[in-house]
Amino acid sequence: MKATIEDIRAILKELAQSQQELSQAQKETDKQINRVSQQIGELGNRLGEFVEWQVRPAVVRLFQERGIDVHEFHPDISVKRDNEGLEIDLLVVNDTDAILVEVKSKLTQRDVDEHLQRLAKFKRLMPRFRDVKALGAVAAMIVPNEVASYACRQGLFVLVQSGENVIILNDAEFTPQIW
């Protein structure tokens, strides 16, 4: 059976139409994937906010119990100076101490490393704190053991969820790094 030119044209027309339909379906799938990705990102941000709201009421008390007489905290600090930026989730202070607290839903080693970089530039970008003893802390709902150990070795306090409370994971003999 031989295909006529009209048969070939009809097949090509069907192929072109199918390709156009597939292209349209791909565009719609891409839009749906983008919407879901955005929703997941928003959910992650909301979860981080939830953790931060769990940590906020506890930070002053927790550090006071460790002998650091802080009495105020400032959430969501953002600084821009000399083409550099710094964002701090919670800054817990008194006249001689400042504790920079990074809050995550799940803490990673990369988060710890980024917080160490933040601590290294804190006094330079916020010179009004240049004469205080700067300390670091990380807080999260989920903290894998190896990440908690790493953060402790770097001199950071580690705050974790324990039941309905937030606790400092570091033992009583822990000596924090001072920046």
Side-chain angles (χ1 to χ4, degrees):
M1 178 169 148
K2 288 187 171 179
T4 66
I5 293 203
E6 287 182 23
D7 293 336
I8 293 171
R9 284 186 182 148
I11 291 170
L12 289 173
K13 185 177 179 181
E14 280 183 42
L15 282 172
Q17 185 176 351
S18 293
Q19 187 176 9
Q20 196 172 27
E21 289 170 2
L22 280 172
S23 177
Q24 187 61 34
Q26 181 64 44
K27 287 178 185 175
E28 187 58 36
T29 300
D30 289 346
K31 285 180 187 177
Q32 289 176 351
I33 289 171
N34 286 338
R35 277 195 297 270
V36 169
S37 294
Q38 184 178 5
Q39 290 170 341
I40 289 171
E42 289 171 3
L43 180 60
N45 288 342
R46 300 300 298 180
L47 187 56
E49 288 175 16
F50 173 76
V51 175
E52 189 171 321
W53 279 95
Q54 293 290 342
V55 171
R56 279 182 185 195
V59 290
V60 170
R61 175 187 52 80
L62 286 171
F63 289 114
Q64 285 177 346
E65 289 171 357
R66 285 293 177 113
I68 305 169
D69 192 26
V70 289
H71 46 266
E72 61 186 79
F73 74 89
H74 305 276
D76 302 319
I77 305 290
S78 182
V79 178
K80 298 277 187 219
R81 186 184 300 266
D82 300 326
N83 297 320
E84 272 192 286
L86 178 67
E87 291 186 5
I88 304 167
D89 291 335
L90 293 173
L91 181 62
V92 187
V93 298
N94 63 23
D95 294 334
T96 59
D97 303 287
I99 305 168
L100 287 72
V101 184
E102 176 68 8
V103 181
K104 296 290 184 186
S105 52
K106 180 178 180 182
L107 189 67
T108 65
Q109 183 172 330
R110 180 177 178 193
D111 296 326
V112 172
D113 290 338
E114 288 174 357
H115 195 46
L116 294 169
Q117 292 172 0
R118 194 174 293 114
L119 283 155
K121 60 184 180 178
F122 168 65
K123 289 184 179 182
R124 183 169 34 83
L125 295 181
M126 295 188 74
R128 72 175 155 264
F129 292 103
R130 77 176 143 256
D131 295 328
V132 303
K133 182 170 62 173
L135 308 171
V138 289
M141 187 181 303
I142 301 168
V143 181
N145 290 336
E146 64 276 3
V147 176
S149 295
Y150 178 72
C152 288
R153 286 192 311 272
Q154 301 307 309
L156 300 177
F157 286 101
V158 179
L159 285 64
V160 297
Q161 191 79 28
S162 177
E164 294 180 17
N165 299 314
V166 175
I167 63 168
I168 294 178
L169 197 61
N170 311 70
D171 62 32
E173 289 79 40
F174 171 73
T175 303
Q177 173 72 36
I178 299 172
W179 279 267

